[in-house]
Amino acid sequence: MSSHTFADSPTTKRPEGSAERIARIGALKLGRQPIVMVTAYDVAAARAAEAAGVDIVLVGDSGANVVLGYGTTREVSLDEMLMLTRAVRRGLRETLLVGDLPFGTYEHSDEAAVATARRFVDEAGCDAVKLEGAGEMAQRVRAVVGAGIPVMGHVGLLPQAARDASELRAKGRTADDAVRIIEDAKALEAAGCFSVVIEAVPAEVTALLAAHVGAPTIGIGAGAAADGQVLVLHDLLGITPGRSAKFVKRYSDIGAQMLAGVRAFADEVRSRAYPAPEHTYAIAAEELEALKEKLGGT
Ligand code: KIV
C-alpha cells in the first residue's frame, strides 16, 4: 500500500479532513470492506451520494458524455470540469471528492499535470485527482503526489484514449495485454497512487492484479475481486439512453420517470389543468381593486 502521507504543500491546501478521508480508503481495504464509489456532476447528485453513504465521489470526465452531450471524454474542457466539480463540492461535507483531470491537460509535462491538479484542489475543493494511464503517466503521478495532491490511477480501458465509442472495448483479454495492465497498476502504486481504477478487464485478470498491488483497487467492469466498485451515476440510475456496457447494472429507471414527468407537465399545460388554484399566489381583494383603479378602472 502507498506509504505517502500527503501532507499539504505550502501552496496547495486541500480541504479540512482530506488526509483522514484518504487514509480511510486504505483502512476499508485493510478491513476487507468493499469501497463504494459513484460519479456525480451536480449538487443534487452529490447530496444523494453522501446521504447514501458512498465512500468516494468522482467527478468523472464521463460527465462529458452523460451531462454535456459530447461524443467522447476527449472533448470536455478543464473549465467545464471545474464547474461541474465545484457544484459537486457544494453538495458534500464528509465524502472523499476526486476530480478527473481532462484529456490534454496533464499528459505533456509534469508542470502541466501539477498545475491542472492544483486547480482541482484550489478552485474546486478536491481531496484528490484521477488521471488515466501508466508509462509516462506514472511520472506525472509522481509529480502531482510530490506537490502534495493524492492521485487515483486508472488502468485497463482508458476512455481518453478512444477517439470514438467503437474504441471502447474490454482490455486484458490476452496474456500479454493482461501482464501490461498489471505492470501498469504496479507502476502507478510505486509512483504513489492511493488507489487505482481498473476498467473493463476480465475478472480473473483483476484477481491476479489485486494479488500484486497493495493500493486499493476500484473496479468498473472488472469483476468482483477489486477492493471496491464504481459506476457512472447516470448508468446506474437508468438516465443514460440506449444500450449500456455489459457491466452496467441499472438500479433505477430515472430516464423513463423523467420522460413521464415532463410529458405529464406538457399534457397538463396544454389541457389547462396546470396551474390549478393551489399553485397560484393570492392578492387581497382591496389591493386588486386599488390596482385596477391605478390601471384606469379596467
Ligand atoms: O469518468 C469516469 O466516470 C471514470 C469512471 C468510469 C471511473 O473515469
Side-chain angles (χ1 to χ4, degrees), residues 24-37 53 55-56 216-218 224-229:
R24 183 171 170 271
I25 302 307
L28 286 172
K29 177 185 167 102
L30 282 179
R32 294 178 188 279
Q33 290 180 51
I35 300 159
V36 182
M37 178 160 108
D55 301 306
I56 307 176
T217 53
I218 315 264
D227 300 306
Q229 299 291 330

Side-chain angles (χ1 to χ4, degrees), residues 32-254:
R32 294 178 188 279
Q33 290 180 51
I35 300 159
V36 182
M37 178 160 108
V38 295
T39 65
Y41 316 97
D42 63 25
V43 69
R47 286 185 183 135
E50 183 152 286
V54 310
D55 301 306
I56 307 176
V57 169
L58 167 70
V59 184
D61 62 356
S62 50
N65 309 114
V66 300
V67 301
L68 298 177
Y70 292 122
T72 71
T73 59
R74 294 159 76 103
E75 289 154 83
V76 67
S77 71
L78 176 55
D79 284 340
E80 288 170 324
M81 283 301 295
L82 289 171
M83 189 198 69
L84 299 178
T85 310
R86 279 194 292 270
V88 171
R89 172 77 279 162
R90 291 180 201 110
L92 298 180
R93 283 177 311 161
E94 308 293 338
T95 314
L96 181 69
L97 173 60
V98 181
D100 216 357
L101 305 190
F103 178 73
T105 67
Y106 63 92
E107 302 89 333
H108 47 287
S109 71
D110 287 356
E111 292 70 25
V114 171
T116 301
R118 280 209 170 112
R119 290 194 66 186
F120 275 85
V121 176
D122 295 343
E123 298 176 33
C126 282
D127 295 301
V129 297
K130 179 170 84 59
L131 57 80
E132 292 187 11
E136 218 185 314
M137 295 312 113
Q139 175 49 36
R140 304 291 173 262
V141 169
R142 217 167 264 119
V144 175
V145 169
I149 301 172
V151 180
M152 177 179 274
H154 188 148
V155 300
L157 173 61
L158 304 176
Q160 290 179 5
R163 276 154 307 183
D164 62 54
S166 71
E167 292 179 14
L168 296 173
R169 295 187 172 280
K171 302 289 177 192
R173 300 180 91 170
T174 64
D176 284 348
D177 200 36
V179 167
R180 187 188 52 78
I181 290 167
I182 292 169
E183 292 303 326
D184 283 353
K186 284 164 66 178
L188 291 175
E189 178 179 34
C193 283
F194 76 96
S195 169
V196 180
V197 167
I198 310 166
E199 180 160 356
V201 307
E204 295 83 349
V205 175
T206 302
L208 289 167
L209 184 154
H212 287 86
V213 173
T217 53
I218 315 264
I220 174 163
D227 300 306
Q229 299 291 330
V230 56
L231 280 178
V232 168
L233 188 80
H234 286 53
D235 293 344
L236 80 91
L237 293 181
I239 300 174
T240 315
R243 261 185 71 226
S244 325
K246 177 184 172 72
F247 56 78
V248 171
K249 178 169 177 184
R250 293 191 177 227
Y251 291 84
S252 287
D253 196 3
I254 304 291

